[in-house]
Amino acid sequence: MAPQRFHEQFAHIQHSMPGVALAMGPEEDAHFLYEKGVVLARDGEEARVVEDTVRAHFTATEGLVPDHVRRDGPETGRTGVTRIRTGAPDAGEDTVPHALRALREAEDRRGRRLVSRNHVVHIAVNACPGDEPVPVARTQPANPAAAEGRYDAGSAVGVLVIDTGLVHDHGSYPLLAHTTGDAQAAETDAGGVLGQYVGHGTFIAGVLAAVAPNTALTVRGTLNDAGAILESEFGARLFEAVDRGGWPDIISLSAGTPTEGGDGLLGLDAFMRELRGQRTLLVAAAGNNASDTPFWPAAYAALPEYADSVLSVGALRADGDGAACFSNHGPWVRVYAPGERLTSALTGFAAPVPYVYQHSTYDSCRYGSDYLCTCQFPRHTGVLSEGRESTGAKPDQVMFDGLAQWSGTSFATPVAAGLVAAHMTAHQERDPRAARTRLLAATTDTADVRGAHVPALRPPSWRPVPVVVPALPA
C-alpha cells in the first residue's frame, strides 16, 4: 500500500461525510478508515454488556469520561447492530482503541467478538485507488467488447450493481439502453468540473453489459457520496436496495474495507445471513491495496458457510499474464479477471465534460511491480498530491466525451459477474450459484499471482493490452 495515496484520499472522504469524525487504522495497517468515538455491538443483551463494560473501564481510567459512553440513537432493527458512543463527538482524542481494549477480556470469556469499529466502506478505487480514469476516443471500441447475443426481457439475468448511480447521459451508450436505476448525485462542481469517481457505477454497468448482453441491469446509488459509507449504515442500505426490486440473480459490489484483525463486518452480519438463505450470488471486489489482508465483504468467500454465495474477484494486469500491481491477493481471493486498462462508458456523451486529476502518477510502481503499470502511466499531476504547491506544478485537466479507460478490482468484478450471467444465458441455468460453480469448474485458464497458479476468467471479447517490462541491467 502507498501511504501517500491513502492520506490524499482521507481528506476527500472526510469532506464527503460532514459531521462524521474519521480516523485511520493503526499505522502498521493503515488500510482502513473508521468513525472516531463510536463502536458497534449487536442489539440487545450484547449491546448492554458492551456499554456497561466500557463505562466501568472509563470510570477506573484517568482521563476517560464514563458519561460519554451511551447508545447513539435507537437500535437499528433489521441490521441487528447498535451504535455506542465512547467519547464526545468533538473530542480530540479517539476513544475507540480504549474501548476495544476494555472489551478484550469480556470477549475472551464469551468466546466471540462483541464489538467492532464502525468502518468506512468505500468503492474499491477510493481509499485505495487503482488509478483515475483516462479519456478514450469514441472511435476506440470497448474492452471487453460487446459479446455476441442480444437482450431479451423475458430471459434476461437480473443483476443489481451497488455503487455510484448512473450519469445523466448513460442512455447514449448503446450497451446501457436497457439499464435502469438511480441517478448519479452531483456529477459536476459549481465550475462544471467532473467530480472524483463520478461515473464509477456507469463504467461498471457498461463492462457488465458488454460481457453479458442479456442482463437486466439495475444500478443503485448506494455509494453516491464519494463512494464511501459508514458500516453502520451500509447494511441497511443493502437491504433497501434488494427490497426495492427483490433479490436479484447476481449482485455486483465493487466496495469494501479491510478490518483490524481480519474479522468480518459486524454491520453486515444480518445482510450476509439473509443473503445466504437466498439464491442470489454476491460477486465482490478484492480491493486495491496490493495486500493479502482480507477485504470485506469479498473475503466472506473464504468462510465455508458463504463459499457458494460469495465470489471474490482480483484483477489481472492489462496483458492478462499475472495480477495487476494493485490487486489484493491471497487464498480468500477465489478468481481473477481482467481489471487493468479496461474501456467502458463514463460520461460526456451529450457534451464533453472536464476532469481535473486528483493524484499524481509515480516515477516507479508504488507496489514494486516491474512493468509499466497504472501507477506510472499515463503521466499526470494531481490536485491532492503532496509537495505539488512547493514545486509550482499545475494539476492536469482532461476532457471526457463518452468513453474512458480505468483500472481496479472494481472493474474486474463486473467482468466476473458478467461471465456468470453469460453462462446462465448460454446454458439456460436459472440458479446463479450453480452457474458460478460450473463456470469455475470448466475454467482451465490460470494466472501466476505471486508464484501461485490461480483460476483466471478471461472473456472471449476482451483484448489483452501489451505492457512494457523494463529490461534488466546488463
Side-chain angles (χ1 to χ4, degrees):
M1 178 62 180
Q4 175 186 334
R5 185 67 61 89
F6 185 78
H7 284 260
E8 287 172 2
Q9 268 313 96
F10 176 78
H12 177 72
I13 294 176
Q14 178 66 85
H15 180 73
S16 75
M17 305 175 77
V20 178
L22 299 181
M24 297 183 184
E27 284 303 315
E28 65 271 17
D29 187 26
H31 293 171
F32 63 85
L33 306 176
Y34 65 96
E35 184 179 11
K36 289 176 64 174
V38 172
V39 296
L40 301 182
R42 296 178 186 86
D43 290 344
E45 194 260 347
E46 289 194 6
R48 181 188 60 77
V49 169
V50 168
E51 190 176 10
D52 291 347
T53 302
V54 174
R55 185 177 290 114
H57 175 77
F58 281 18
T59 300
T61 305
E62 185 178 352
L64 298 175
V65 183
D67 290 345
H68 288 158
V69 181
R70 64 191 184 281
R71 302 190 189 194
D72 193 15
E75 292 184 349
T76 51
R78 193 171 176 186
T79 61
V81 293
T82 297
R83 288 166 49 93
I84 298 176
R85 185 163 290 283
T86 63
D90 57 351
E93 182 184 8
D94 179 25
T95 53
V96 167
H98 298 286
L100 296 177
R101 284 195 294 271
L103 283 154
R104 294 309 177 216
E105 185 177 337
E107 290 180 326
D108 290 342
R109 289 197 304 268
R110 289 171 173 261
R112 67 180 295 182
R113 182 175 55 142
L114 296 176
V115 69
S116 82
R117 301 173 192 262
N118 192 15
H119 298 91
V120 176
V121 179
H122 50 80
I123 59 176
V125 296
N126 207 312
C128 49
D131 71 348
E132 293 177 81
V134 177
V136 170
R138 291 193 192 185
T139 54
Q140 183 171 325
N143 189 21
E148 294 184 1
R150 62 183 182 84
Y151 174 78
D152 172 59
S155 63
V157 177
V159 181
L160 175 63
V161 175
I162 303 291
D163 209 87
T164 62
L166 292 164
V167 296
H168 74 282
D169 56 355
H170 74 275
S172 299
Y173 189 56
L175 290 177
L176 298 181
H178 306 287
T179 300
T180 61
D182 301 332
Q184 168 79 55
E187 293 185 21
T188 58
D189 63 17
V193 177
L194 196 66
Q196 194 175 12
Y197 303 117
V198 168
H200 191 263
T202 303
F203 192 99
I204 285 170
V207 170
L208 224 157
V211 176
N214 193 31
T215 48
L217 285 171
T218 302
V219 179
R220 291 291 169 224
T222 306
L223 300 166
N224 258 333
D225 294 333
I229 188 171
L230 288 174
E231 176 185 343
S232 57
E233 300 173 11
F234 191 43
R237 295 291 297 275
L238 288 174
F239 276 126
E240 290 174 9
V242 297
D243 286 348
R244 289 173 68 179
W247 286 86
D249 294 310
I250 298 170
I251 296 175
S252 179
L253 176 64
S254 294
T257 179
T259 61
E260 188 175 19
D263 295 316
L265 295 171
L266 197 64
L268 262 63
D269 274 359
F271 178 83
M272 295 303 298
R273 287 196 302 271
E274 192 160 329
L275 168 77
R276 192 173 59 197
Q278 303 291 331
R279 56 188 291 276
T280 299
L281 175 69
L282 173 63
V283 184
N288 304 331
N289 295 319
S291 168
D292 61 359
T293 300
F295 188 82
W296 303 88
Y300 281 99
L303 303 182
E305 61 267 39
Y306 293 105
D308 68 336
S309 54
V310 180
L311 179 61
S312 49
V313 187
L316 296 175
R317 69 187 203 178
D319 61 4
D321 285 347
C325 69
F326 51 78
S327 181
N328 283 349
H329 53 90
W332 55 276
V333 183
R334 290 296 183 241
V335 73
Y336 291 75
E340 188 175 53
R341 297 189 175 120
L342 301 187
T343 301
S344 182
L346 189 78
T347 192
F349 291 100
V353 59
Y355 176 75
V356 178
Y357 282 106
Q358 302 297 298
H359 307 286
S360 296
T361 44
Y362 292 73
D363 293 332
S364 60
C365 176
R366 64 188 188 270
Y367 303 116
S369 291
D370 61 355
Y371 72 99
L372 190 60
C373 61
T374 57
C375 298
Q376 308 161 71
F377 183 82
R379 303 288 296 177
H380 51 251
T381 297
V383 172
L384 301 176
S385 299
E386 296 176 358
R388 179 185 63 82
E389 293 181 357
S390 63
T391 64
K394 294 183 178 180
D396 290 315
Q397 177 175 303
V398 292
M399 299 293 291
F400 285 101
D401 65 351
L403 300 182
Q405 193 176 80
W406 216 344
S407 304
T409 58
S410 279
F411 314 121
T413 298
V415 171
L419 285 171
V420 174
H423 185 94
M424 293 176 67
T425 296
H427 298 275
Q428 298 184 340
E429 173 63 71
R430 300 312 304 168
D431 183 346
R433 297 181 184 180
R436 163 217 179 265
T437 299
R438 289 169 183 156
L439 174 65
L440 294 183
T443 298
T444 59
D445 283 350
T446 62
D448 187 326
V449 177
R450 299 176 184 265
H453 292 287
V454 299
L457 297 174
R458 300 179 177 92
S461 63
W462 168 73
R463 302 180 310 281
V465 178
V467 299
V468 176
V469 179
L472 294 175

PDB file of all heavy atoms in Angstrom, residues 167-196:
ATOM      1  N   VAL A 167     -24.868   8.160 -14.667  1.00  0.00           N
ATOM      2  CA  VAL A 167     -24.751   9.528 -15.158  1.00  0.00           C
ATOM      3  C   VAL A 167     -25.933   9.849 -16.061  1.00  0.00           C
ATOM      4  O   VAL A 167     -26.578   8.961 -16.623  1.00  0.00           O
ATOM      5  CB  VAL A 167     -23.419   9.748 -15.906  1.00  0.00           C
ATOM      6  CG1 VAL A 167     -22.242   9.575 -14.954  1.00  0.00           C
ATOM      7  CG2 VAL A 167     -23.287   8.800 -17.095  1.00  0.00           C
ATOM      8  N   HIS A 168     -26.201  11.133 -16.206  1.00  0.00           N
ATOM      9  CA  HIS A 168     -27.430  11.551 -16.886  1.00  0.00           C
ATOM     10  C   HIS A 168     -27.487  11.116 -18.340  1.00  0.00           C
ATOM     11  O   HIS A 168     -28.571  10.898 -18.888  1.00  0.00           O
ATOM     12  CB  HIS A 168     -27.582  13.071 -16.791  1.00  0.00           C
ATOM     13  CG  HIS A 168     -26.649  13.831 -17.684  1.00  0.00           C
ATOM     14  ND1 HIS A 168     -25.310  14.022 -17.370  1.00  0.00           N
ATOM     15  CD2 HIS A 168     -26.839  14.430 -18.901  1.00  0.00           C
ATOM     16  CE1 HIS A 168     -24.733  14.725 -18.324  1.00  0.00           C
ATOM     17  NE2 HIS A 168     -25.625  14.979 -19.263  1.00  0.00           N
ATOM     18  N   ASP A 169     -26.326  10.977 -18.998  1.00  0.00           N
ATOM     19  CA  ASP A 169     -26.330  10.643 -20.424  1.00  0.00           C
ATOM     20  C   ASP A 169     -25.940   9.187 -20.691  1.00  0.00           C
ATOM     21  O   ASP A 169     -25.513   8.847 -21.798  1.00  0.00           O
ATOM     22  CB  ASP A 169     -25.411  11.591 -21.196  1.00  0.00           C
ATOM     23  CG  ASP A 169     -23.980  11.621 -20.662  1.00  0.00           C
ATOM     24  OD1 ASP A 169     -23.715  10.969 -19.628  1.00  0.00           O
ATOM     25  OD2 ASP A 169     -23.125  12.291 -21.281  1.00  0.00           O
ATOM     26  N   HIS A 170     -26.130   8.327 -19.705  1.00  0.00           N
ATOM     27  CA  HIS A 170     -25.733   6.922 -19.895  1.00  0.00           C
ATOM     28  C   HIS A 170     -26.510   6.245 -21.013  1.00  0.00           C
ATOM     29  O   HIS A 170     -26.017   5.328 -21.659  1.00  0.00           O
ATOM     30  CB  HIS A 170     -25.910   6.136 -18.594  1.00  0.00           C
ATOM     31  CG  HIS A 170     -27.352   5.843 -18.265  1.00  0.00           C
ATOM     32  ND1 HIS A 170     -28.163   6.744 -17.590  1.00  0.00           N
ATOM     33  CD2 HIS A 170     -28.132   4.761 -18.522  1.00  0.00           C
ATOM     34  CE1 HIS A 170     -29.357   6.226 -17.452  1.00  0.00           C
ATOM     35  NE2 HIS A 170     -29.380   5.025 -17.996  1.00  0.00           N
ATOM     36  N   GLY A 171     -27.743   6.723 -21.253  1.00  0.00           N
ATOM     37  CA  GLY A 171     -28.575   6.114 -22.287  1.00  0.00           C
ATOM     38  C   GLY A 171     -28.032   6.301 -23.689  1.00  0.00           C
ATOM     39  O   GLY A 171     -28.464   5.610 -24.620  1.00  0.00           O
ATOM     40  N   SER A 172     -27.077   7.212 -23.851  1.00  0.00           N
ATOM     41  CA  SER A 172     -26.461   7.421 -25.166  1.00  0.00           C
ATOM     42  C   SER A 172     -25.492   6.298 -25.517  1.00  0.00           C
ATOM     43  O   SER A 172     -25.053   6.211 -26.668  1.00  0.00           O
ATOM     44  CB  SER A 172     -25.722   8.762 -25.202  1.00  0.00           C
ATOM     45  OG  SER A 172     -26.600   9.838 -24.967  1.00  0.00           O
ATOM     46  N   TYR A 173     -25.144   5.484 -24.542  1.00  0.00           N
ATOM     47  CA  TYR A 173     -24.246   4.355 -24.780  1.00  0.00           C
ATOM     48  C   TYR A 173     -25.105   3.137 -25.086  1.00  0.00           C
ATOM     49  O   TYR A 173     -25.891   2.686 -24.240  1.00  0.00           O
ATOM     50  CB  TYR A 173     -23.393   4.108 -23.535  1.00  0.00           C
ATOM     51  CG  TYR A 173     -22.280   3.105 -23.724  1.00  0.00           C
ATOM     52  CD1 TYR A 173     -21.324   3.270 -24.723  1.00  0.00           C
ATOM     53  CD2 TYR A 173     -22.163   1.999 -22.892  1.00  0.00           C
ATOM     54  CE1 TYR A 173     -20.284   2.359 -24.889  1.00  0.00           C
ATOM     55  CE2 TYR A 173     -21.128   1.082 -23.038  1.00  0.00           C
ATOM     56  CZ  TYR A 173     -20.197   1.271 -24.032  1.00  0.00           C
ATOM     57  OH  TYR A 173     -19.162   0.371 -24.198  1.00  0.00           O
ATOM     58  N   PRO A 174     -25.028   2.581 -26.302  1.00  0.00           N
ATOM     59  CA  PRO A 174     -25.958   1.524 -26.724  1.00  0.00           C
ATOM     60  C   PRO A 174     -26.044   0.344 -25.758  1.00  0.00           C
ATOM     61  O   PRO A 174     -27.136  -0.205 -25.551  1.00  0.00           O
ATOM     62  CB  PRO A 174     -25.400   1.098 -28.085  1.00  0.00           C
ATOM     63  CG  PRO A 174     -24.687   2.308 -28.596  1.00  0.00           C
ATOM     64  CD  PRO A 174     -24.102   2.971 -27.384  1.00  0.00           C
ATOM     65  N   LEU A 175     -24.933  -0.049 -25.177  1.00  0.00           N
ATOM     66  CA  LEU A 175     -24.965  -1.218 -24.302  1.00  0.00           C
ATOM     67  C   LEU A 175     -25.785  -0.977 -23.035  1.00  0.00           C
ATOM     68  O   LEU A 175     -26.198  -1.940 -22.366  1.00  0.00           O
ATOM     69  CB  LEU A 175     -23.539  -1.616 -23.899  1.00  0.00           C
ATOM     70  CG  LEU A 175     -22.657  -2.208 -24.996  1.00  0.00           C
ATOM     71  CD1 LEU A 175     -21.260  -2.472 -24.470  1.00  0.00           C
ATOM     72  CD2 LEU A 175     -23.271  -3.502 -25.527  1.00  0.00           C
ATOM     73  N   LEU A 176     -26.054   0.286 -22.694  1.00  0.00           N
ATOM     74  CA  LEU A 176     -26.804   0.595 -21.485  1.00  0.00           C
ATOM     75  C   LEU A 176     -28.238   1.023 -21.781  1.00  0.00           C
ATOM     76  O   LEU A 176     -28.911   1.611 -20.928  1.00  0.00           O
ATOM     77  CB  LEU A 176     -26.084   1.692 -20.689  1.00  0.00           C
ATOM     78  CG  LEU A 176     -24.685   1.325 -20.186  1.00  0.00           C
ATOM     79  CD1 LEU A 176     -24.079   2.482 -19.395  1.00  0.00           C
ATOM     80  CD2 LEU A 176     -24.733   0.067 -19.326  1.00  0.00           C
ATOM     81  N   ALA A 177     -28.722   0.701 -22.953  1.00  0.00           N
ATOM     82  CA  ALA A 177     -30.068   1.121 -23.349  1.00  0.00           C
ATOM     83  C   ALA A 177     -31.146   0.543 -22.439  1.00  0.00           C
ATOM     84  O   ALA A 177     -32.211   1.149 -22.257  1.00  0.00           O
ATOM     85  CB  ALA A 177     -30.340   0.711 -24.801  1.00  0.00           C
ATOM     86  N   HIS A 178     -30.900  -0.630 -21.863  1.00  0.00           N
ATOM     87  CA  HIS A 178     -31.903  -1.284 -21.017  1.00  0.00           C
ATOM     88  C   HIS A 178     -31.565  -1.168 -19.528  1.00  0.00           C
ATOM     89  O   HIS A 178     -32.218  -1.819 -18.704  1.00  0.00           O
ATOM     90  CB  HIS A 178     -32.020  -2.762 -21.398  1.00  0.00           C
ATOM     91  CG  HIS A 178     -32.287  -2.990 -22.853  1.00  0.00           C
ATOM     92  ND1 HIS A 178     -33.506  -2.724 -23.442  1.00  0.00           N
ATOM     93  CD2 HIS A 178     -31.479  -3.430 -23.854  1.00  0.00           C
ATOM     94  CE1 HIS A 178     -33.441  -3.004 -24.733  1.00  0.00           C
ATOM     95  NE2 HIS A 178     -32.228  -3.431 -25.012  1.00  0.00           N
ATOM     96  N   THR A 179     -30.592  -0.343 -19.184  1.00  0.00           N
ATOM     97  CA  THR A 179     -30.165  -0.213 -17.791  1.00  0.00           C
ATOM     98  C   THR A 179     -31.023   0.812 -17.068  1.00  0.00           C
ATOM     99  O   THR A 179     -31.293   1.898 -17.591  1.00  0.00           O
ATOM    100  CB  THR A 179     -28.685   0.200 -17.727  1.00  0.00           C
ATOM    101  OG1 THR A 179     -27.896  -0.795 -18.377  1.00  0.00           O
ATOM    102  CG2 THR A 179     -28.218   0.346 -16.292  1.00  0.00           C
ATOM    103  N   THR A 180     -31.443   0.474 -15.862  1.00  0.00           N
ATOM    104  CA  THR A 180     -32.251   1.370 -15.049  1.00  0.00           C
ATOM    105  C   THR A 180     -31.575   1.568 -13.693  1.00  0.00           C
ATOM    106  O   THR A 180     -30.619   0.875 -13.356  1.00  0.00           O
ATOM    107  CB  THR A 180     -33.663   0.798 -14.831  1.00  0.00           C
ATOM    108  OG1 THR A 180     -33.547  -0.460 -14.145  1.00  0.00           O
ATOM    109  CG2 THR A 180     -34.378   0.585 -16.153  1.00  0.00           C
ATOM    110  N   GLY A 181     -32.105   2.522 -12.918  1.00  0.00           N
ATOM    111  CA  GLY A 181     -31.575   2.704 -11.578  1.00  0.00           C
ATOM    112  C   GLY A 181     -31.547   4.137 -11.132  1.00  0.00           C
ATOM    113  O   GLY A 181     -32.259   4.992 -11.665  1.00  0.00           O
ATOM    114  N   ASP A 182     -30.705   4.407 -10.151  1.00  0.00           N
ATOM    115  CA  ASP A 182     -30.621   5.732  -9.535  1.00  0.00           C
ATOM    116  C   ASP A 182     -29.686   6.640 -10.325  1.00  0.00           C
ATOM    117  O   ASP A 182     -28.712   6.183 -10.922  1.00  0.00           O
ATOM    118  CB  ASP A 182     -30.089   5.620  -8.106  1.00  0.00           C
ATOM    119  CG  ASP A 182     -30.971   4.749  -7.231  1.00  0.00           C
ATOM    120  OD1 ASP A 182     -32.192   4.676  -7.504  1.00  0.00           O
ATOM    121  OD2 ASP A 182     -30.440   4.130  -6.285  1.00  0.00           O
ATOM    122  N   ALA A 183     -29.975   7.921 -10.263  1.00  0.00           N
ATOM    123  CA  ALA A 183     -29.113   8.910 -10.918  1.00  0.00           C
ATOM    124  C   ALA A 183     -27.868   9.165 -10.075  1.00  0.00           C
ATOM    125  O   ALA A 183     -27.908   9.122  -8.843  1.00  0.00           O
ATOM    126  CB  ALA A 183     -29.874  10.212 -11.131  1.00  0.00           C
ATOM    127  N   GLN A 184     -26.765   9.422 -10.746  1.00  0.00           N
ATOM    128  CA  GLN A 184     -25.539   9.855 -10.082  1.00  0.00           C
ATOM    129  C   GLN A 184     -25.780  11.204  -9.436  1.00  0.00           C
ATOM    130  O   GLN A 184     -26.288  12.138 -10.071  1.00  0.00           O
ATOM    131  CB  GLN A 184     -24.410   9.957 -11.107  1.00  0.00           C
ATOM    132  CG  GLN A 184     -23.170  10.672 -10.619  1.00  0.00           C
ATOM    133  CD  GLN A 184     -22.295   9.797  -9.757  1.00  0.00           C
ATOM    134  OE1 GLN A 184     -21.895   8.715 -10.177  1.00  0.00           O
ATOM    135  NE2 GLN A 184     -21.999  10.258  -8.556  1.00  0.00           N
ATOM    136  N   ALA A 185     -25.448  11.329  -8.163  1.00  0.00           N
ATOM    137  CA  ALA A 185     -25.623  12.604  -7.472  1.00  0.00           C
ATOM    138  C   ALA A 185     -24.479  13.552  -7.812  1.00  0.00           C
ATOM    139  O   ALA A 185     -23.323  13.136  -7.888  1.00  0.00           O
ATOM    140  CB  ALA A 185     -25.673  12.377  -5.962  1.00  0.00           C
ATOM    141  N   ALA A 186     -24.807  14.811  -8.035  1.00  0.00           N
ATOM    142  CA  ALA A 186     -23.818  15.887  -8.186  1.00  0.00           C
ATOM    143  C   ALA A 186     -22.669  15.480  -9.104  1.00  0.00           C
ATOM    144  O   ALA A 186     -21.553  15.264  -8.651  1.00  0.00           O
ATOM    145  CB  ALA A 186     -23.282  16.303  -6.825  1.00  0.00           C
ATOM    146  N   GLU A 187     -22.956  15.408 -10.402  1.00  0.00           N
ATOM    147  CA  GLU A 187     -21.926  14.988 -11.349  1.00  0.00           C
ATOM    148  C   GLU A 187     -20.768  15.973 -11.435  1.00  0.00           C
ATOM    149  O   GLU A 187     -19.610  15.570 -11.561  1.00  0.00           O
ATOM    150  CB  GLU A 187     -22.545  14.788 -12.736  1.00  0.00           C
ATOM    151  CG  GLU A 187     -23.518  13.626 -12.797  1.00  0.00           C
ATOM    152  CD  GLU A 187     -24.029  13.381 -14.202  1.00  0.00           C
ATOM    153  OE1 GLU A 187     -23.372  13.818 -15.169  1.00  0.00           O
ATOM    154  OE2 GLU A 187     -25.091  12.747 -14.342  1.00  0.00           O
ATOM    155  N   THR A 188     -21.066  17.263 -11.384  1.00  0.00           N
ATOM    156  CA  THR A 188     -20.013  18.279 -11.533  1.00  0.00           C
ATOM    157  C   THR A 188     -20.091  19.287 -10.395  1.00  0.00           C
ATOM    158  O   THR A 188     -21.116  19.414  -9.713  1.00  0.00           O
ATOM    159  CB  THR A 188     -20.144  19.027 -12.869  1.00  0.00           C
ATOM    160  OG1 THR A 188     -21.440  19.647 -12.938  1.00  0.00           O
ATOM    161  CG2 THR A 188     -19.997  18.074 -14.049  1.00  0.00           C
ATOM    162  N   ASP A 189     -18.992  20.029 -10.206  1.00  0.00           N
ATOM    163  CA  ASP A 189     -18.991  21.082  -9.195  1.00  0.00           C
ATOM    164  C   ASP A 189     -19.549  22.374  -9.793  1.00  0.00           C
ATOM    165  O   ASP A 189     -20.030  22.385 -10.938  1.00  0.00           O
ATOM    166  CB  ASP A 189     -17.591  21.282  -8.619  1.00  0.00           C
ATOM    167  CG  ASP A 189     -16.568  21.746  -9.667  1.00  0.00           C
ATOM    168  OD1 ASP A 189     -16.974  22.217 -10.755  1.00  0.00           O
ATOM    169  OD2 ASP A 189     -15.361  21.648  -9.383  1.00  0.00           O
ATOM    170  N   ALA A 190     -19.466  23.459  -9.023  1.00  0.00           N
ATOM    171  CA  ALA A 190     -20.026  24.738  -9.477  1.00  0.00           C
ATOM    172  C   ALA A 190     -19.365  25.235 -10.756  1.00  0.00           C
ATOM    173  O   ALA A 190     -19.970  25.990 -11.525  1.00  0.00           O
ATOM    174  CB  ALA A 190     -19.891  25.782  -8.375  1.00  0.00           C
ATOM    175  N   GLY A 191     -18.131  24.798 -10.998  1.00  0.00           N
ATOM    176  CA  GLY A 191     -17.432  25.210 -12.207  1.00  0.00           C
ATOM    177  C   GLY A 191     -17.612  24.276 -13.382  1.00  0.00           C
ATOM    178  O   GLY A 191     -16.975  24.463 -14.424  1.00  0.00           O
ATOM    179  N   GLY A 192     -18.474  23.264 -13.224  1.00  0.00           N
ATOM    180  CA  GLY A 192     -18.726  22.332 -14.316  1.00  0.00           C
ATOM    181  C   GLY A 192     -17.684  21.242 -14.449  1.00  0.00           C
ATOM    182  O   GLY A 192     -17.664  20.535 -15.464  1.00  0.00           O
ATOM    183  N   VAL A 193     -16.817  21.062 -13.445  1.00  0.00           N
ATOM    184  CA  VAL A 193     -15.765  20.043 -13.493  1.00  0.00           C
ATOM    185  C   VAL A 193     -16.291  18.744 -12.879  1.00  0.00           C
ATOM    186  O   VAL A 193     -16.917  18.751 -11.816  1.00  0.00           O
ATOM    187  CB  VAL A 193     -14.508  20.510 -12.745  1.00  0.00           C
ATOM    188  CG1 VAL A 193     -13.444  19.421 -12.737  1.00  0.00           C
ATOM    189  CG2 VAL A 193     -13.964  21.781 -13.398  1.00  0.00           C
ATOM    190  N   LEU A 194     -16.030  17.646 -13.549  1.00  0.00           N
ATOM    191  CA  LEU A 194     -16.491  16.337 -13.116  1.00  0.00           C
ATOM    192  C   LEU A 194     -15.942  16.007 -11.734  1.00  0.00           C
ATOM    193  O   LEU A 194     -14.761  16.211 -11.446  1.00  0.00           O
ATOM    194  CB  LEU A 194     -16.027  15.281 -14.123  1.00  0.00           C
ATOM    195  CG  LEU A 194     -16.705  13.905 -14.088  1.00  0.00           C
ATOM    196  CD1 LEU A 194     -18.163  14.021 -14.492  1.00  0.00           C
ATOM    197  CD2 LEU A 194     -15.961  12.939 -15.008  1.00  0.00           C
ATOM    198  N   GLY A 195     -16.795  15.476 -10.855  1.00  0.00           N
ATOM    199  CA  GLY A 195     -16.374  15.096  -9.523  1.00  0.00           C
ATOM    200  C   GLY A 195     -15.574  13.805  -9.530  1.00  0.00           C
ATOM    201  O   GLY A 195     -15.642  13.000 -10.469  1.00  0.00           O
ATOM    202  N   GLN A 196     -14.810  13.610  -8.453  1.00  0.00           N
ATOM    203  CA  GLN A 196     -13.988  12.405  -8.344  1.00  0.00           C
ATOM    204  C   GLN A 196     -14.873  11.163  -8.245  1.00  0.00           C
ATOM    205  O   GLN A 196     -15.807  11.110  -7.456  1.00  0.00           O
ATOM    206  CB  GLN A 196     -13.081  12.508  -7.125  1.00  0.00           C
ATOM    207  CG  GLN A 196     -11.979  11.475  -7.115  1.00  0.00           C
ATOM    208  CD  GLN A 196     -11.003  11.683  -5.951  1.00  0.00           C
ATOM    209  OE1 GLN A 196     -11.283  12.462  -5.053  1.00  0.00           O
ATOM    210  NE2 GLN A 196      -9.891  10.988  -5.973  1.00  0.00           N
TER     211      GLN A 196
END
